[in-house]
Amino acid sequence: MAHTLHILRTELEMAMVLSGCNTLSDIDHSILFT
């Protein structure tokens, strides 16, 4: 379970970097539905 969560966190962090989001609050409708 911990390994799965680590993978998911890594994927989220990479997606945030690639989309230019520094924090979770930077993710809004325009990022999700473009």
Side-chain angles (χ1 to χ4, degrees):
M1 178 71 169
H3 181 66
T4 302
L5 292 176
H6 175 72
I7 292 170
L8 289 172
R9 180 180 175 142
T10 302
E11 291 288 330
L12 175 59
E13 289 173 350
M14 183 60 69
M16 289 176 66
V17 168
L18 293 173
S19 64
C21 296
N22 294 320
T23 65
L24 289 176
S25 62
D26 290 340
I27 301 170
D28 62 8
H29 186 269
S30 66
I31 297 292
L32 297 175
F33 300 102
T34 57

